[in-house]
Amino acid sequence: MIIIYPPTIDWDWMKQRPQQLLSQLSKRGNIIYYCNKTQQNKRTEQVQPNLYIVHNHTNWLYNELPKLRKSGQTIGIWCSYPKLASTIPSYQADWVIYDCIDEFSDWMPYEKEMATLSDGIVCSSERLYRRIKNMFPTKKLALIRNAYDPEMKLHERKKLPLPVDWEEEEQTKWVGYIGAWAPWVDETLIKKISTMDTKIKVAVIGPEFGRKFQHSHLPNVRYLEFKPHLLLPHYLKRFSICMIPFRITSVTLATNPVKAYEYLASGIPTISTDLPESRLMQPHIDIATTHEQFLAHIKKRLINPGDAPSRIQYALENTWEHRSMEVEQFITHL
């Protein structure tokens, strides 16, 4: 089976859900063509067995794809970006799956067209699944959440070298957040955490996304910007507490945080604001409904970190390999 991912985000960007799922599907014998959003005049590149990065999409679409059609293999489209709906027919695929992963308002006008042309829809959270089921009751649906990438080796709990831009401070306890610095991050909560105790500091690792990081407003916060996926374990190992400090919005109510699985794989205590998908991970994650409760959880977990082995086990029971098997079963039933 050949699976095509249309140009949405580049392969090397943060190793998000599409990259993880398609990488695992390639390991299961499926041939993947991942089309980078950034276009370059270079040949299609093989990055692992059965997985190819398309750099020149226009050339590939009109010159290489017709040859693949002659191979006799089933060709499918996996698309997580509904704004590409109008381009999907150009692939002449045997099946199309819309992977509904977010509830961004600017995506909504395109979703009906994307859902209509899709043979099946996969959703990453319960809220997304229920909404899609109500809107498109005759569509074949599956709820397939996010997961942990064991290649990060967080579950092995080995000591890792200190990152070159990290200065260890004696007696400092780091409360860390890894993810985009986006409008849904609760900046007020971050500030309260950074000022709750002189021995507590906050580390934020991730790209700016629709929002600039304002250093002057956040004392005792170290912003380390975007880091490659494989380097994240080196930083995560320095955290005493991991956090998901999201405001409650339509976007966050629908999210299944990838970082939650990675945090848990490290065994480090994890605290989240009251997100529906985080609630489902209790008791491995502590849930806070108020800022005060969030701070109280931090104080508690600095004294009593809790059950690290059970957190690690939860992550290992929810890997991208597990999710790729669910995807294959769903495709089989289309």
Side-chain angles (χ1 to χ4, degrees):
M1 179 167 59
I2 296 172
I3 303 175
I4 301 166
Y5 187 77
T8 308
I9 56 175
D10 288 354
W11 176 256
D12 293 328
W13 200 80
M14 287 185 72
K15 287 289 184 178
Q16 293 191 334
R17 175 185 174 96
Q19 294 101 318
Q20 296 284 9
L21 279 175
L22 294 169
S23 177
Q24 289 297 326
L25 286 167
S26 73
K27 292 176 182 178
R28 298 181 61 79
N30 303 288
I31 300 174
I32 308 297
Y33 286 90
Y34 187 99
C35 303
N36 265 2
K37 181 178 180 179
T38 302
Q39 297 296 292
Q40 301 179 63
N41 189 23
K42 57 189 289 190
R43 292 182 178 181
T44 298
E45 174 188 6
Q46 184 173 8
V47 292
Q48 65 186 52
N50 299 324
L51 199 158
Y52 300 86
I53 307 301
V54 175
H55 296 286
N56 189 334
H57 179 256
T58 301
N59 177 70
W60 180 86
L61 183 65
Y62 293 106
N63 294 302
E64 295 186 46
L65 181 56
K67 297 175 185 177
L68 294 176
R69 291 198 192 97
K70 294 179 181 179
S71 70
Q73 295 192 71
T74 299
I75 296 179
I77 298 292
W78 183 276
C79 184
S80 60
Y81 190 45
K83 287 187 177 184
L84 293 179
S86 63
T87 71
I88 300 302
S90 63
Y91 296 95
Q92 300 179 38
D94 297 299
W95 52 260
V96 176
I97 289 178
Y98 169 39
D99 185 21
C100 183
I101 59 175
D102 280 306
E103 200 163 277
F104 296 136
S105 59
D106 61 328
W107 289 14
M108 294 298 102
Y110 305 89
E111 195 168 68
K112 182 177 180 180
E113 183 182 2
M114 187 72 229
T116 300
L117 62 83
S118 297
D119 299 285
I121 303 176
V122 170
C123 301
S124 61
S125 72
E126 182 72 30
R127 178 184 171 97
L128 293 173
Y129 180 86
R130 290 180 181 178
R131 179 173 64 78
I132 294 294
K133 187 173 184 179
N134 288 335
M135 293 176 64
F136 310 101
T138 62
K139 284 290 177 182
K140 294 181 179 178
L141 301 179
L143 173 57
I144 301 178
R145 291 185 165 90
N146 293 321
Y148 165 56
D149 175 14
E151 290 186 10
M152 294 183 77
K153 299 182 180 180
L154 292 166
H155 59 285
E156 296 180 2
R157 306 190 74 185
K158 293 181 179 178
K159 289 187 176 181
L160 295 173
L162 198 68
V164 293
D165 58 350
W166 183 277
E167 295 179 5
E168 207 56 274
E169 298 179 22
E170 190 176 350
Q171 296 185 334
T172 295
K173 300 293 184 181
W174 288 97
V175 179
Y177 164 65
I178 297 177
W181 183 256
W184 52 80
V185 174
D186 190 338
E187 186 172 330
T188 301
L189 175 59
I190 297 286
K191 185 173 183 178
K192 287 182 179 180
I193 295 169
S194 68
T195 57
M196 66 183 290
D197 190 302
T198 56
K199 295 181 181 179
I200 295 175
K201 292 190 177 182
V202 175
V204 175
I205 300 173
E208 294 174 325
F209 184 81
R211 179 189 194 182
K212 291 289 184 181
F213 186 87
Q214 302 295 333
H215 297 260
S216 60
H217 296 104
L218 297 169
N220 298 321
V221 177
R222 180 180 293 175
Y223 177 52
L224 293 162
E225 304 180 340
F226 169 79
K227 299 297 176 187
H229 186 69
L230 292 177
L231 291 182
L232 293 179
H234 295 260
Y235 294 91
L236 189 52
K237 295 287 187 179
R238 270 70 203 177
F239 297 170
S240 297
I241 303 283
C242 296
M243 63 174 169
I244 304 172
F246 289 171
R247 296 168 49 236
I248 305 302
T249 69
S250 60
V251 172
T252 60
L253 287 171
T255 192
N256 179 256
V258 176
K259 294 307 170 193
Y261 299 95
E262 296 169 357
Y263 291 164
L264 294 175
S266 71
I268 298 170
T270 300
I271 305 168
S272 172
T273 48
D274 193 18
L275 309 180
E277 294 292 310
S278 292
R279 268 188 246 131
L280 296 175
M281 300 185 194
Q282 294 182 103
H284 311 295
I285 288 181
D286 294 319
I287 302 298
T289 58
T290 65
H291 286 182
E292 290 68 29
Q293 192 174 23
F294 206 106
L295 301 183
H297 280 314
I298 291 175
K299 291 178 181 178
K300 174 185 175 182
R301 289 306 179 194
L302 288 176
I303 297 171
N304 177 17
D307 190 357
S310 69
R311 297 182 191 118
I312 296 169
Q313 185 60 36
Y314 180 86
L316 291 175
E317 291 170 356
N318 291 274
T319 68
W320 289 113
E321 182 180 5
H322 291 104
R323 302 298 188 247
S324 68
M325 290 189 284
E326 295 175 41
V327 168
E328 277 196 336
Q329 290 174 1
F330 182 64
I331 293 173
T332 300
H333 290 127
L334 288 179

